[in-house]
Amino acid sequence: MSSDNHLLTGASLLGGEPTDILIADGVIAALGPEAAAHPDAEGATVIDASGLVALPGLVDVHTHLREPGREDAETVETGTRAAALGGYTAVHAMANSSPVADTAGVVEQVHSLGQASGWVDVRPVGAVTVGLAGEQLAELGAMADSRAQVRMFSDDGICVHDPVLMRRALEYVKAFDGVIAQHAQEPRLTAGAQMNEGEVSAVLGLAGWPAVAEESIIARDVLLAQHVDSRLHVCHVSTAGSVEIIRWAKQRGIRVTAEVTPHHLLLTDELVRSYDPVYKVNPPLRTQGDVLALRQALAEGVIDVIGTDHAPHPSEHKECEWAQAAMGMTGLETALSVVQHTMVDSGLMSWADVARVMSQVPAEVGRVADQGRPLAVGEPANITLVDPAARWTVDGKAMATKGRNTPFQGMELPGKVRATFFHGHPTVLDGALNTPRTTVGA
C-alpha cells in the first residue's frame, strides 16, 4: 500500500459542491461517494478538506529561479519551495541566469536541479538570443531536443527588439510547436526610465516609461506572428492600450496569448510616491485605469493567464536609493491570494476561471502535458487546496523564497493554500512545507 494514498473529504471542486477525492499511485483514483469505498481508500491518509476549494495544481509561465550563477538571489530549491507553498506544481524558469540558459547544457542543468529538488515540475525557458544580446539566435532546436524538452523561449528582462531576428525566431519554433514569449519594451523609448510615464512621474521628476513603448512592440509582434503563422506569448501586459491590441489580434485569429502579473492587477504608480524601491518593477506599475482594464481583460479571456514574474533580489539591491535599485518583485507565495482578492472576491471570476488562467491555459501555453489537467478520475493528482475564508498578513521574512522584496508586505490578503499535491505526493500540508516528492522514491 502506497504511503502517498490520500482521501480528501468534503473538498469543493472548483468552488462547486463538496465531494471526496481519492489520490492513489499519483493519480485521482475516485471522486464522490465511490472514493471512500474504493479499494485504494483502505489505509489511505484522510484529510478533512471541508470548506476548501480544490484546484488543479497551479502552473506559472514566468518564474525567475536565478540558478545557475545568481544563488544569492534565489536557487531552484528555495524558489520551488516558495512555488509549492503558493499552490504551484509547475513553474517555467526564465533564461536570464548566469550563464544564460541559451544552450542545451544549461537548460538540462536547470531541469535536473528541479528534478532533484522535487517540490514542483521545473520547465526551463530557453533564451531566444545568445547571451540575451539580441544579435543572433540561440540554440533553439538543440534546447527543444534536449532532455528538458524546451518549448518556451524568451529573452525576458530584455526585448527582442530587432524585427528580423524576432521573425526568424517565430519561424524557427514552428518546427517543434514552440512559442516565443516577448518582453515588450522598445529600448529607445525607455532609456533611463524609472517608472510609468504620467502624472506621478512628472511630479516626482523621475524619467517616465511610456505605455507606447510596450504597445508598439506588441503591435509589431502580433503582425509578425500572423505573417509567419507562429505562436507568440506576450509577457506581463501592463497597459490598457496593450489589451486592445491583443483583443484586435485575437479577433483576427492571430496565435497570440498574453499574461498579467498579480501586482499589475492590484498596485498602481501612486505607490512610487513613497520612493520605496520595492515598487520598482519592469514593466512599471501603471495607473488605476490600466489596472481596471487588465482585470476586465483577464475576466473576458483577452488576457489568457496569470504569470507571477517572481523576481527575487538580494536585500542590498532593493534597500538603496530608487535610481540604483533593481527592478522586480517576488510573487509565488502571494499570487493566488491576490487573484482571489482582485478577481474572485470582486465577482469578476469564479474559481473555475481561476483554474483556467492559473493552471489549464498556462500548461497549454508551455506545452506541459501532465499539468493543468482537469480534476477527473485517471488524471495526474496535481491538486491545490485553498481556504478562501482565511485571511493572512504578508510577511516577506517568513517566506520560503530568498527574496524579501514583496510589494505586499504588511497587507492583509484573503485565501491561504492549505495543501499542494504534486503527482499525488503532498509537498504542502496544513499550510506548511511537508516533503519533496523525491524523498519518497517517486
Side-chain angles (χ1 to χ4, degrees):
M1 182 68 62
S2 170
S3 62
D4 261 4
N5 285 9
H6 289 79
L7 179 62
L8 316 181
T9 62
S12 172
L13 259 66
L14 306 183
E17 290 299 313
T19 192
D20 295 347
I21 306 172
L22 178 62
I23 299 171
D25 299 321
V27 301
I28 298 174
L31 290 171
E34 294 81 12
H38 193 282
D40 286 331
E42 184 178 352
T45 301
V46 178
I47 295 177
D48 182 3
S50 302
L52 306 184
V53 174
L55 302 170
L58 307 184
V59 178
D60 190 15
V61 293
H62 195 146
T63 304
H64 295 276
L65 295 180
R66 304 303 191 197
E67 193 175 9
R70 298 169 63 185
E71 291 83 0
D72 59 328
E74 191 78 287
T75 65
V76 171
E77 174 70 21
T78 58
T80 55
R81 282 172 173 252
L85 284 167
Y88 287 89
T89 54
V91 299
H92 290 73
M94 282 295 175
N96 58 344
S97 51
S98 182
V100 171
D102 57 4
T103 66
V106 178
V107 296
E108 287 185 351
Q109 178 186 357
V110 174
H111 184 250
S112 295
L113 287 167
Q115 288 185 314
S117 293
W119 295 103
V120 302
D121 183 9
V122 176
R123 307 287 300 189
V125 175
V128 178
T129 67
V130 175
L132 309 180
E135 296 175 355
Q136 65 182 93
L137 289 183
E139 300 175 4
L140 308 185
M143 288 187 279
D145 291 339
S146 71
R147 286 184 290 108
Q149 297 183 319
V150 176
R151 289 297 179 270
M152 179 179 286
F153 300 86
S154 180
D155 278 4
D156 182 60
I158 303 173
C159 180
V160 181
H161 60 87
D162 184 332
V164 176
L165 205 58
M166 187 63 180
R167 173 186 174 167
R168 288 174 181 164
L170 287 165
E171 289 175 325
Y172 199 110
V173 298
K174 288 176 63 178
F176 40 81
D177 191 28
V179 63
I180 302 296
Q182 175 69 294
H183 175 113
Q185 176 190 351
E186 169 50 57
R188 295 185 66 184
L189 289 173
T190 56
Q194 295 290 309
M195 64 170 297
N196 177 56
E197 182 180 286
E199 292 180 12
V200 180
S201 67
V203 170
L204 299 181
L206 292 174
W209 185 310
V212 70
E214 174 175 305
E215 296 157 6
S216 60
I217 293 294
I218 296 174
R220 182 200 74 178
D221 286 354
V222 295
L223 292 174
L224 287 174
Q226 179 184 44
H227 183 64
V228 303
D229 189 26
S230 189
R231 288 203 299 139
L232 169 71
H233 179 73
V234 184
C235 296
H236 41 51
V237 174
S238 70
T239 78
S242 295
V243 166
E244 293 312 307
I245 295 166
I246 294 164
R247 188 193 308 275
W248 176 90
K250 289 192 168 192
Q251 288 171 345
R252 282 151 183 79
I254 299 173
R255 299 167 67 192
V256 57
T257 53
E259 73 188 44
V260 63
T261 71
H263 49 269
H264 284 112
L265 290 174
L266 181 56
L267 310 178
T268 74
D269 60 354
E270 289 290 334
L271 291 165
V272 181
R273 293 181 187 272
S274 69
Y275 286 104
D276 186 340
V278 76
Y279 301 119
K280 188 176 182 180
V281 67
N282 180 344
L285 300 178
R286 304 288 189 179
T287 68
Q288 184 65 18
D290 291 311
V291 166
L292 296 177
L294 293 169
R295 292 182 187 179
Q296 192 62 41
L298 182 65
E300 293 175 4
V302 176
I303 292 177
D304 304 84
V305 302
I306 296 290
T308 69
D309 196 7
H310 174 79
H313 290 291
S315 295
E316 60 268 24
H317 292 179
K318 278 293 191 178
E319 295 174 0
C320 57
E321 291 184 5
W322 178 279
Q324 280 71 49
M327 294 183 179
M329 302 168 167
T330 60
L332 286 169
E333 294 167 78
T334 50
L336 187 56
S337 290
V338 173
V339 171
Q340 179 181 333
H341 174 61
T342 58
M343 305 302 296
V344 180
D345 292 352
S346 66
L348 285 171
M349 291 176 65
S350 67
W351 284 108
D353 293 325
V354 172
R356 171 173 52 83
V357 302
M358 297 190 76
S359 184
Q360 176 193 343
V361 180
E364 292 172 357
V365 171
R367 297 297 192 255
V368 189
D370 59 354
Q371 295 280 351
R373 306 289 300 168
L375 298 180
V377 174
E379 294 289 357
N382 296 310
I383 302 173
T384 297
L385 296 179
V386 59
D387 180 358
R391 295 292 183 272
W392 63 291
T393 300
V394 178
D395 179 6
K397 294 181 179 179
M399 290 181 171
T401 175
K402 279 191 173 185
R404 298 293 174 256
N405 51 309
T406 172
F408 309 111
Q409 177 68 30
M411 188 180 296
E412 185 180 79
L413 292 176
K416 191 68 176 173
V417 172
R418 297 303 186 196
T420 306
F421 289 87
F422 175 39
H423 286 287
H425 176 73
T427 54
V428 172
L429 282 176
D430 296 323
L433 288 170
N434 181 37
T435 56
R437 185 167 176 250
T438 48
T439 63
V440 293

